[in-house]
Amino acid sequence: MSAELDRTLEALAEAQRRAMVGLLRASPLRSSDVAEALSLSRSATSKHLGALRRAGVVEETADASDARARVYRLRRAPFDELR
């Protein structure tokens, strides 16, 4: 197994992170929207999104309407490698 695949699987081993991936499959979301949809605190959401970002599963960009907010979207490459 490649190191990238190991990182992806490790990130997806946690149920809340898999739930986040499920939400982000539909469309990119702000971190606050992810927190609200999953009834998580913002700090827990930040922790999980950070782990997904470090694993390369999601990418983060600034929200065009609010530079303080971050928008998260799935990266295709890790899921292509899983297949």
Side-chain angles (χ1 to χ4, degrees):
M1 242 190 253
S2 75
E4 289 177 24
L5 184 56
D6 286 343
R7 280 193 301 272
T8 299
L9 291 172
E10 185 177 327
L12 297 176
E14 210 287 331
Q16 293 296 340
R17 294 179 195 152
R18 288 192 307 277
M20 290 176 177
V21 167
L23 287 173
L24 294 172
R25 285 180 67 200
S27 68
L29 293 170
R30 292 169 52 146
S31 57
S32 59
D33 296 329
V34 172
E36 184 177 324
L38 298 176
S39 299
L40 292 173
S41 69
R42 291 194 185 215
S43 64
T45 302
S46 178
K47 173 186 158 194
H48 290 304
L49 286 170
L52 291 170
R53 185 180 44 76
R54 287 187 300 279
V57 175
V58 299
E59 60 187 7
E60 154 189 311
T61 57
D63 186 332
S65 63
D66 182 356
R68 295 172 298 157
R70 296 288 175 244
V71 175
Y72 291 85
R73 65 184 33 83
L74 293 179
R75 293 186 62 244
R76 182 178 181 95
F79 296 99
D80 287 345
E81 188 174 355
L82 280 173
R83 273 191 218 121

